[in-house]
């Protein structure tokens, strides 16, 4: 048990898959405790513990999708064998602003970054067992920098939401995680973890598709954006929007402000 009272560790891990358009993950097993992340349709997770009353489950999403508490009523159970199969099966990621799938004779709307598992022995055979309308790309196909930037532009005007992970609400970490996931890359879902991810290239080596991490006056990571080239940055400031990226004006001339500091410039594409 954790703290001896509130929740208990499972003796054997349980497994699940998100079968909702969006599944919220909370900081604590209490409604209104705040989001840590969200899962999209088709994303897999492991169940590590539960509350004593069984109404909440603590889950850890695969591919760094995030961890926290979900309502047990929203859990879709998988056997260990099915979970292993899904983990190894070919994967497609939805790219359209809104796709839809008919599953169990009902329509489920899919947001960008949702997962479709495909294979000859697929429990959820997308050619024979259900109807899919939208667009997707194979996760195994790595996008180039130009494609990555175009994918990022698809989230323009999506609002800021702490812990959000969809076009209806995002924060820096989840937004970057989704962009790279759609383009075939796995990167951390949280800003703090981006500090040690990828390869440092610095301002002198920056290219379109690189991630820029800023710090506050105390040197603590505070926000991040995606460099799109031509002196432009996509970032979340109330919503996903373009901002000028002119670091030379921040570190030279009469502007002595320390409020804007580039902490890292990261290549997360591995090339």
């Amino acid at each position: 048990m954790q703290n001896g009272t509130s929740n208990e560790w499972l003796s054997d891990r349980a497994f699940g898959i998100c079968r909702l358009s969006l599944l919220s993950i909370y900081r604590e097993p209490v409604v209104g405790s705040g989001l840590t992340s969200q899962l999209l349709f088709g994303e897999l997770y492991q169940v590590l513990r539960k509350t004593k009353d069984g109404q909440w489950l603590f889950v850890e999403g695969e591919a760094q999708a995030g961890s926290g508490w979900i309502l047990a009523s929203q859990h879709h159970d998988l056997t260990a064998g099915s979970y292993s199969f899904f983990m190894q099966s070919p994967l497609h990621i939805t790219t359209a602003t809104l796709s839809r799938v008919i599953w169990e004779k009902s329509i489920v709307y899919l947001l960008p970054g949702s997962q479709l598992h495909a294979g000859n022995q697929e429990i959820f055979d997308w050619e024979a067992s259900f109807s899919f309308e939208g667009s997707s790309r194979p996760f195994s196909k790595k996008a180039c920098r130009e494609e990555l930037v175009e994918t990022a532009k698809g989230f323009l005007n999506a609002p800021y939401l702490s812990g959000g992970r969809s076009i209806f609400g995002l924060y820096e970490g989840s937004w970057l995680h989704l962009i790279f996931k759609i383009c075939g890359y796995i990167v951390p879902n949280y800003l703090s973890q981006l500090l040690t991810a990828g390869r440092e290239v610095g301002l002198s080596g920056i290219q379109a598709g690189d991630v820029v991490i800023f710090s506050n006056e105390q040197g603590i990571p505070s926000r991040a954006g995606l460099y799109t080239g031509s002196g432009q940055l996509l970032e979340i400031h109330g919503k996903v929007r373009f901002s000028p990226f002119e670091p030379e004006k921040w570190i030279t001339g009469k502007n002595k402000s320390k409020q804007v500091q580039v902490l890292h410039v990261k290549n997360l594409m591995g090339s």
Side-chain angles (χ1 to χ4, degrees):
M1 290 185 185
Q2 186 182 36
N3 298 330
T5 56
S6 61
N7 57 81
E8 56 189 27
W9 294 88
L10 301 184
S11 56
D12 295 307
R13 288 193 177 188
F15 306 92
I17 185 170
C18 178
R19 284 302 186 225
L20 302 172
S21 300
L22 196 62
L23 173 58
S24 292
I25 304 178
Y26 296 92
R27 298 182 186 279
E28 301 291 340
V30 179
V31 174
S33 65
L35 297 176
T36 63
S37 189
Q38 293 174 312
L39 295 177
L40 296 161
F41 184 90
E43 292 189 313
L44 300 164
Y45 57 89
Q46 296 189 40
V47 182
L48 306 184
R49 59 185 193 267
K50 64 180 180 179
T51 54
K52 279 190 171 183
D53 59 13
Q55 293 186 20
W56 292 86
L57 305 174
F58 186 90
V59 304
E60 183 175 304
E62 290 295 340
Q64 303 194 51
S67 60
W69 294 93
I70 68 169
L71 286 165
S73 58
Q74 296 181 324
H75 168 60
H76 187 94
D77 191 54
L78 287 179
T79 65
S82 295
Y83 185 83
S84 178
F85 170 79
F86 279 117
M87 285 290 291
Q88 299 174 42
S89 67
L91 183 65
H92 280 241
I93 310 296
T94 60
T95 58
T97 302
L98 193 65
S99 302
R100 74 175 197 167
V101 63
I102 297 177
W103 175 63
E104 292 189 341
K105 299 181 181 180
S106 298
I107 294 176
V108 180
Y109 290 97
L110 309 186
L111 303 174
S114 299
Q115 296 186 176
L116 301 170
H117 297 84
N120 293 333
Q121 299 178 348
E122 165 68 282
I123 300 169
F124 195 57
D125 187 336
W126 69 333
E127 292 183 350
S129 300
F130 73 95
S131 173
F132 170 69
E133 296 178 7
S135 60
S136 66
R137 69 187 311 278
F139 178 74
S140 58
K141 182 182 178 182
K142 307 297 183 186
C144 65
R145 289 178 178 273
E146 290 76 14
E147 291 174 303
L148 187 99
V149 169
E150 288 303 310
T151 297
K153 291 178 182 178
F155 289 91
L156 272 170
N157 296 315
Y160 171 81
L161 175 64
S162 179
R165 196 165 162 265
S166 80
I167 56 173
F168 299 118
L170 298 157
Y171 66 104
E172 288 92 343
S174 66
W175 173 57
L176 292 168
H177 181 273
L178 276 179
I179 293 167
F180 281 88
K181 176 189 174 181
I182 292 171
C183 292
Y185 303 89
I186 294 297
V187 305
N189 188 41
Y190 301 111
L191 181 59
S192 60
Q193 296 173 343
L194 284 173
L195 299 178
T196 56
R199 179 169 59 88
E200 184 74 35
V201 296
L203 287 171
S204 61
I206 193 170
Q207 299 182 64
D210 286 338
V211 170
V212 182
I213 302 174
F214 298 90
S215 68
N216 59 21
E217 291 179 328
Q218 288 74 41
I220 299 172
S222 59
R223 60 188 178 94
L226 187 81
Y227 183 63
T228 61
S230 302
Q232 292 289 306
L233 188 78
L234 265 177
E235 61 176 344
I236 300 179
H237 183 62
K239 64 179 182 179
V240 178
R241 64 178 75 197
F242 280 105
S243 299
F245 185 69
E246 302 170 319
E248 67 280 356
K249 291 186 179 180
W250 307 333
I251 58 178
T252 61
K254 297 181 179 180
N255 186 356
K256 303 297 183 181
S257 173
K258 295 183 179 180
Q259 294 181 354
V260 181
Q261 299 183 58
V262 175
L263 188 62
H264 295 284
V265 178
K266 295 276 190 172
N267 173 5
L268 301 182
M269 302 179 71
S271 60

